[in-house]
Amino acid sequence: MTSIFTKIINGEIPCHKVAEDAHYFAFLDINPVAKGHTLVIPKKEVDYIFDLDAETLSGLTLFAQKVAKGIAKVVPCKRVGVTVLGLEVPHAHVHLIPLNSEADVDFKKPKLKMESAETAALAREIQSAIGNLQ
Ligand code: AMP
């Protein structure tokens, strides 16, 4: 069965995209735990991140590094944290979350509510920051 993330990549489900190349895709999480919470995925649909082939897994890390640098330029934070859960969506992904304290990465707390226009503007800003990286 096609994952919801593959449908996002194919444009069948909308998302707030921040980056894409031939093999990877990044977009804002629909239920962010912090402003700028982004998901980075391989286009190849594999459920469990550690079942990815070595090349795809290392490429995902390098792509996530670029995305994290873009996020940090837009969202004030001490650093961008990386979390892997994968309990909900069976398509490998990493969560990039701007952190100012440990509490920012608490998935049990109420999710952030953001207006759609604000989310769209944030995605555009992060996309542009990634595009401007050296
Ligand atoms: P997990 O698989 O446990 O890492 O969680 C999946 C993550 O995907 C959650 O943080 C969801 O909020 C997020 N998510 C699920 N559907 C969408 C969607 N359509 N667009 C953006 N994020 C999503």
Side-chain angles (χ1 to χ4, degrees), residues 72-87:
K73 289 207 177 295
V74 174
V75 182
C77 59
K78 286 189 179 158
R79 54 185 57 205
V80 175
V82 186
T83 304
V84 176
L85 298 174
L87 295 172

Side-chain angles (χ1 to χ4, degrees), residues 53-65:
D53 61 85
E55 189 185 348
T56 305
L57 179 57
S58 53
L60 179 68
T61 304
L62 293 176
F63 191 77
Q65 179 185 37

Side-chain angles (χ1 to χ4, degrees), residues 42-53 90-93:
K43 289 188 172 176
K44 187 182 279 187
E45 187 179 320
V46 170
D47 175 356
Y48 180 46
I49 192 165
F50 294 126
D51 283 335
L52 288 170
D53 61 85
H91 185 141
H93 54 280

Side-chain angles (χ1 to χ4, degrees), residues 2-12 41 43 45 91:
T2 308
S3 79
I4 190 170
F5 288 172
T6 294
K7 289 182 178 161
I8 286 175
I9 293 165
N10 293 338
E12 295 162 38
I41 65 179
K43 289 188 172 176
E45 187 179 320
H91 185 141

Side-chain angles (χ1 to χ4, degrees), residues 27-133:
F27 54 104
L28 296 181
D29 194 294
I30 202 166
N31 278 316
V33 298
K35 186 178 171 184
H37 179 176
T38 298
L39 301 175
V40 186
I41 65 179
K43 289 188 172 176
K44 187 182 279 187
E45 187 179 320
V46 170
D47 175 356
Y48 180 46
I49 192 165
F50 294 126
D51 283 335
L52 288 170
D53 61 85
E55 189 185 348
T56 305
L57 179 57
S58 53
L60 179 68
T61 304
L62 293 176
F63 191 77
Q65 179 185 37
K66 207 158 60 165
V67 174
K69 285 184 178 181
I71 293 170
K73 289 207 177 295
V74 174
V75 182
C77 59
K78 286 189 179 158
R79 54 185 57 205
V80 175
V82 186
T83 304
V84 176
L85 298 174
L87 295 172
E88 186 187 318
V89 178
H91 185 141
H93 54 280
V94 298
H95 296 253
L96 296 180
I97 302 172
L99 301 177
N100 288 298
S101 79
E102 214 174 286
D104 293 331
V105 77
D106 179 1
F107 280 78
K108 287 198 218 133
K109 72 180 181 190
K111 302 297 186 288
L112 210 64
K113 294 277 173 251
M114 283 176 69
E115 294 297 324
S116 175
E118 192 192 350
T119 305
L122 176 64
R124 279 196 300 274
E125 267 190 85
I126 295 172
Q127 189 164 24
S128 156
I130 293 167
N132 289 333
L133 289 172

